[in-house]
Amino acid sequence: SKAGMDVPASDPGARERAERTATLTDVMASCQKWFADQLAGTEGGEAREYLKNRGMHRAPVERFGIGLAPDGRSKLKSALSSLGEDKLVETGMLIKTDEGETYDRFRGRLMIPIRDARGRVIAFGGRILGPGEPKYLNSPDTPLFDKGRTLYNIDRASPASRSAKRLIVVEGYMDVIALDRAGIAEAVAPNGTAVTEAQLGRMWGRRGAPSLCFDGDSAGQKAAIRAASRALPCLGPERTLRFVELPAGQDPDDLVRNGGREAVEALLAAPEPLLDRLW
């Protein structure tokens, strides 16, 4: 548990599931490469401009494997048909209707790969480029992806947290990427949901007192209290939380843009203990 590992259990079906998982992660790797190619291609101009306006240049885009799902109901389906329609449905990349028709789940969105602890792509978060709802669309739960058990950027944050001796938890993908741009690689995020007990367990497997750094608005503060309440039944000598309150109306991305790493480190240097936050 301290090492953040699950205890292997004797299971006759484990080998079969492992082989199936390997096949599906190959499918997801092909999807990620195709999305990256679309971002770099002729249809990617608007998305590249959006990234540039957010201060994200080539290095972070490549480091996080960001891509583009072009607008259209069957562009990915047609381009990756050789992978097998059934596997594209199983991984959540295609939606299958009751009538048996299939079409692309992600359309006209910036695509952010979600990786497991081994660095394999298991899902995507898609951010809409123009107006519309939802702003973010995640992959559904699949044989590879359990949203409530997964932390975004865990594959890169785990080794970074050992060096930095801390783990920072932020609200969203862009917050993680913003901190990484500032040289802070030990950040993770839940996948668009409130922090779950399983995610807390994964955080505690890396560091005993992760720092929750949520947005400085009322929603961010409510999210912090929800996380504190959820953590209470699971607390122990090496399991607690700390809280970093951002300036009102700012998220980590704003903080990095306005003050760089120094502004972030100044807040991280004085986290609030769980007890003080509860009172």
Side-chain angles (χ1 to χ4, degrees), residues 21 24 37 40 67 69 76 80 82 94 96 126 138 153 161 180 197 226 229-230 236 252-254 263 272 275:
T21 295
L24 295 180
D37 290 344
L76 178 137
L80 301 182
S82 61
L94 297 182
K96 188 170 188 176
N138 284 338
N153 198 44
S161 71
D180 184 83
E197 286 89 346
R226 280 199 301 272
S229 303
R230 189 152 282 175
D253 197 7
D254 298 323
E272 183 182 28
L275 184 64

Side-chain angles (χ1 to χ4, degrees), residues 238-255:
E238 295 184 22
R239 289 183 165 217
T240 187
L241 295 175
R242 297 184 295 189
F243 297 85
V244 175
E245 188 159 332
L246 294 173
Q250 288 198 24
D251 59 23
D253 197 7
D254 298 323
L255 202 61

Side-chain angles (χ1 to χ4, degrees), residues 212-236:
L212 272 60
C213 186
F214 289 171
D215 294 358
D217 55 16
S218 60
Q221 298 312 302
K222 286 176 184 173
I225 287 297
R226 280 199 301 272
S229 303
R230 189 152 282 175
L232 277 176
C234 313
L235 295 181

Side-chain angles (χ1 to χ4, degrees), residues 156-178:
R156 300 184 73 249
S158 283
S161 71
R162 288 194 289 273
S163 311
K165 295 184 169 48
R166 67 183 181 187
L167 182 69
I168 300 159
V169 185
V170 291
E171 287 190 66
Y173 311 120
M174 290 300 185
D175 298 328
V176 168
I177 296 168

